Amino acid sequence: MEHLPQQYRHLFPILQTHTMLASCSQSALAEPVSRAIQDYHDSLLYMGTNWKEAIEKTEFARNEFAKLIGAEPDEVAIVPSVSDALVSVASSLTAFGKKHVVYTDMDFPAVPHVWQAHSDYTVSVIPSIHGVMPLEQYETHISDETVLTCVPHVHYRDGYVQDIKAIAEISQRKGSLLFVDAYQSAGHIPIDVKEWGVDMLAAGTRKYLLGIPGVAFLYVRKELADALKPKASAWFGRESGFDGAYAKGARRFQTGTPAFISVYAAAAALSLLNHIGVPHIRDHVKTICADAVQYAAEKGLQLAAAQGGDQPGMVAIRDERASETAALLKKKKVICAPRENVIRLAPHFYNTKEDMRHAIDEIAAKTIHK
Ligand SMILES: Cc1ncc(COP(=O)(O)O)c(C=O)c1O
């Protein structure tokens, strides 16, 4: 699998000077993505207007994301962020008459934030057990009163991967809708919303999707989308911009003009990812993470990942001073992602085994000389 970095590293100028291992936060910028950003900028600078091209680019990005997750383009809405995606979803559930929502203690804080603001819903948090989430937890906490179950595909802190197909089966059997936060998986772990039976799924573009902030995607299963009337919806969610009828499918979850510059970036980035193929990326990332786990253990570092689930696509190392360590590493041109008391080394297809070992050497040296 070492052929992936060999083939693609030249597309990422920063890799000539830096070790980039922060894909769980912001991945490296590829030249085609940089050119796309420049194209949008230049179209305003030299042509004055570019509405038609920007709308076409938006449809292209929608298609590419749909391809990435096994959906139809009409099942994908373009929204500003994953948080906004969930706000739109939350605004659409009144028709069900049920008022119980569950999410997990592995969800990114944006998920609880959205539900804390909805005091008309009863909310339960599904607790993980020693860092893993047994399926029995879903059997226990989802009831026939549950309207929506929110789960992360991958835990943002240590990379723990959940079995979404199994969770979807439980959720469906109990009559709950399922919302999957795939921000930490889309772009390096294959997703198949149809095969898994997912109702809704969201992912933003600045992490493993190789883009920049400003745009995210919300998948809503077609039959479900057509039955929902989100309150967080405006002219980009209408059949025609000036007509009051909801658009068909997931588009009705859209509000206003998308951040076109981010859409241009996303279109180029998704096209690159689909060209490479996420299953190949997954194989490569798994291989270099397996090596890194062993190497980190040899160096005496303590790993944060729990035992269980599919193999994580990141290596999370315990460090009570994670932010300080990340700042030190940054001075040495090693970019990783601290979060609470862990340092996350989150590689992508452009990284090598040596990148991971180099970062681990730097972390171990810092720990020893502290
Ligand atoms: C799993 C996960 N979900 C959601 C978010 C927040 O995304 P956004 O800022 O697009 O709302 C993050 C950001 O780090 C995340 O890791």
Side-chain angles (χ1 to χ4, degrees):
M1 279 299 141
E2 282 293 307
H3 66 276
L4 279 186
Q6 275 163 22
Q7 263 181 285
Y8 295 105
R9 269 177 91 86
H10 70 279
L11 293 180
F12 297 85
I14 198 165
L15 301 182
Q16 289 167 21
T17 52
H18 288 66
T19 303
M20 283 292 289
L21 289 168
S23 300
C24 59
S25 172
Q26 172 68 64
S27 51
L29 195 69
E31 264 169 358
V33 181
S34 167
R35 274 198 302 277
I37 294 169
Q38 189 70 40
D39 283 350
Y40 180 73
H41 169 268
D42 288 354
S43 70
L44 291 182
L45 194 63
Y46 301 119
M47 296 192 305
T49 177
N50 61 2
W51 186 263
K52 185 168 171 291
E53 293 79 7
I55 295 292
E56 283 166 8
K57 198 64 88 174
T58 306
E59 292 314 305
F60 181 83
R62 190 192 311 278
N63 283 1
E64 289 293 315
F65 184 75
K67 215 183 287 175
L68 192 93
I69 63 164
E72 292 170 31
D74 284 348
E75 296 179 303
V76 174
I78 310 259
V79 293
S81 68
V82 169
S83 304
D84 285 283
L86 187 56
V87 167
S88 283
V89 166
S91 82
S92 72
L93 300 176
T94 43
F96 293 93
K98 299 198 280 186
K99 290 283 182 186
H100 179 233
V101 169
V102 292
Y103 57 84
T104 75
D105 65 2
M106 292 182 166
D107 274 290
F108 188 77
V111 174
H113 294 159
V114 168
W115 292 111
Q116 281 155 15
H118 283 74
S119 51
D120 47 335
Y121 283 84
T122 312
V123 171
S124 310
V125 184
I126 307 182
S128 53
I129 298 174
H130 305 304
V132 304
M133 186 65 86
L135 288 173
E136 294 76 47
Q137 291 297 80
Y138 293 104
E139 295 281 4
T140 306
H141 291 270
I142 305 173
S143 79
D144 57 7
E145 281 307 305
T146 309
V147 63
L148 186 71
T149 300
C150 299
V151 299
H153 186 189
V154 165
H155 190 182
Y156 69 94
R157 217 164 56 82
D158 62 15
Y160 176 72
V161 185
Q162 298 211 82
D163 181 347
I164 298 298
K165 188 175 178 181
I167 297 168
E169 187 280 316
I170 297 168
S171 160
Q172 195 181 22
R173 174 159 41 79
K174 293 188 171 244
S176 167
L177 297 173
L178 180 67
F179 172 89
V180 179
D181 177 349
Y183 207 168
Q184 289 291 344
S185 59
H188 74 115
I189 300 185
I191 293 172
D192 190 335
V193 285
K194 299 286 169 179
E195 153 76 9
W196 295 353
V198 170
D199 295 306
M200 301 165 174
L201 175 142
T205 54
R206 80 182 158 89
K207 303 181 192 289
Y208 296 90
L209 289 186
L210 305 180
I212 58 173
V215 73
F217 300 95
L218 169 64
Y219 160 81
V220 185
R221 186 167 50 76
K222 199 166 41 184
E223 307 74 31
L224 173 65
D226 285 339
L228 298 177
K229 294 189 168 69
K231 292 196 182 91
S233 170
W235 73 301
F236 266 70
R238 301 303 146 131
E239 206 45 71
S240 106
F242 297 100
D243 158 353
Y246 277 115
K248 294 259 177 327
R251 281 183 176 78
R252 64 182 57 195
F253 286 83
Q254 300 177 157
T255 52
T257 309
F260 286 134
I261 197 157
S262 306
V263 167
Y264 273 57
L270 286 162
S271 167
L272 176 60
L273 287 168
N274 280 330
H275 172 75
I276 298 169
V278 177
H280 290 125
I281 296 175
R282 175 69 171 145
D283 287 348
H284 174 70
V285 167
K286 266 182 160 178
T287 305
I288 61 176
C289 283
D291 178 76
V293 162
Q294 204 179 341
Y295 191 66
E298 281 167 25
K299 293 279 166 181
L301 297 177
Q302 215 194 337
L303 299 175
Q307 299 303 311
D310 202 356
Q311 190 194 325
M314 70 162 73
V315 176
I317 296 167
R318 278 194 203 288
D319 184 341
E320 290 307 323
R321 297 183 176 174
S323 296
E324 198 185 293
T325 303
L328 282 173
L329 261 62
K330 192 175 171 194
K331 284 191 189 149
K332 299 195 163 196
K333 297 189 165 51
V334 176
I335 310 298
C336 57
R339 181 70 85 190
E340 297 153 30
N341 62 346
V342 296
I343 300 186
R344 299 171 300 171
L345 303 180
H348 215 321
F349 62 92
Y350 47 73
N351 289 115
T352 60
K353 201 165 77 177
E354 288 69 33
D355 287 340
M356 295 290 275
R357 287 185 170 222
H358 175 51
I360 289 165
D361 283 340
E362 291 293 345
I363 295 167
K366 180 255 165 193
T367 312
I368 289 161
H369 300 304
K370 194 167 63 179

